[in-house]
Amino acid sequence: MSELIVHHHQQTTLAIDPSDGMVNASLLVKRFSGRNPVEFLMLDDTQPTLASLAENNGKPLASHWQDGRLRFSRRPEFLRELTAAGIMRQKPGTVDSHKAAAPGVAGNGVRDFVPGLWAHSDLAAGLARWAECRGESWRPSPLAEFVEQVLAEQAGGKASTQKGTPESAAEAFAGLVNAATLQNLRTMDQLLIDGGLSLSARQQTLHARLEQGAKRESERQ
């Protein structure tokens, strides 16, 4: 593993391995009690991204992993396949522990950012949003915005190494609005995508628009 690139956002540490761009996912969500990056990898909503990454790496995932019950019943096998596909890797040790300082150097040692589950950088912002917003993806996520910005800078201004259509912000509201409203949100989302806004920023904008609409509706009554 190369010398890590480390950034800090409030109490959160973002560690990046410059050799392959992977992010220490365990470290990223450490301060969010009860949040384990493996849970994020197991989510139905994460599967399209995992499948796309594996395909891009030339190691497509077996189609049966789209079955959530199968993923959970055979979790170790699923995680091994993600590792083989270059999507994650596990480094042994205690997350955010300390390692001994160099000989002759006083103190309790230095923080060790290597142990933990490392994940593909294209998963990092989504993982941060999931951890910070407790699964409510429409909520603002300063951490996700920070991760997106750092990774974009690392990639030379490109927000993501993954090719294809940007993730829809409108779909986060699919179970909350009717079909006509959802279609309007999709149209607005495309305009925001064309304007270069990140997923988090688009979700915040759409949520604000829904709140404005609800307020106007209540005022009419």
Side-chain angles (χ1 to χ4, degrees):
M1 180 174 285
S2 304
E3 183 175 353
L4 302 179
I5 299 171
V6 178
H7 297 267
H8 298 281
H9 176 76
Q10 298 179 359
Q11 301 174 27
T12 300
T13 301
L14 172 63
I16 306 168
D17 183 352
S19 66
D20 56 12
M22 279 203 175
V23 170
N24 190 329
S26 298
L27 188 63
L28 185 61
V29 302
K30 181 177 182 291
R31 76 179 179 92
F32 300 101
S33 178
R35 288 313 215 187
N36 185 324
V38 171
E39 296 176 11
F40 177 75
L41 295 176
M42 301 296 292
L43 293 175
D44 287 342
D45 289 346
T46 311
Q47 300 315 302
T49 302
L50 297 179
S52 178
L53 291 174
E55 187 75 28
N56 289 343
N57 289 346
K59 298 179 180 179
L61 301 177
S63 59
H64 60 238
W65 294 126
Q66 296 302 313
D67 184 332
R69 289 177 297 180
L70 182 67
R71 284 198 308 276
F72 280 92
S73 65
R74 297 165 58 182
R75 177 184 296 202
E77 183 181 345
F78 176 62
L79 296 179
R80 283 195 296 270
E81 189 159 337
L82 293 185
T83 301
I87 294 172
M88 59 161 279
R89 63 170 175 264
Q90 188 76 44
K91 289 293 184 179
T94 302
V95 177
D96 201 14
S97 57
H98 284 73
K99 58 184 178 181
V105 177
N108 296 323
V110 295
R111 293 175 68 186
D112 187 359
F113 299 129
V114 172
L117 187 151
W118 289 74
H120 194 286
S121 59
D122 282 1
L123 296 166
L127 171 64
R129 184 177 301 106
W130 170 79
E132 187 169 42
C133 300
R134 297 290 171 179
E136 297 178 345
S137 59
W138 54 266
R139 291 176 53 196
S141 174
L143 178 59
E145 294 281 2
F146 169 76
V147 170
E148 288 176 339
Q149 179 181 351
V150 169
L151 294 178
E153 292 171 354
Q154 289 293 127
K158 297 180 180 179
S160 174
T161 60
Q162 184 178 348
K163 298 179 181 179
T165 304
E167 183 178 349
S168 170
E171 300 310 316
F173 306 94
L176 305 174
V177 299
N178 60 36
T181 301
L182 181 60
Q183 186 56 48
N184 288 337
L185 291 178
R186 287 169 176 159
T187 300
M188 185 183 302
D189 188 33
Q190 187 57 55
L191 294 174
L192 297 174
I193 290 173
D194 294 341
L197 272 70
S198 69
L199 177 61
S200 293
R202 288 185 280 119
Q203 287 174 332
Q204 293 174 39
T205 301
L206 296 183
H207 183 249
R209 180 58 63 90
L210 285 177
E211 286 189 327
Q212 291 172 1
K215 183 178 180 180
R216 286 196 298 268
E217 185 65 27
S218 65
E219 290 173 348
R220 293 195 193 102
Q221 297 176 355

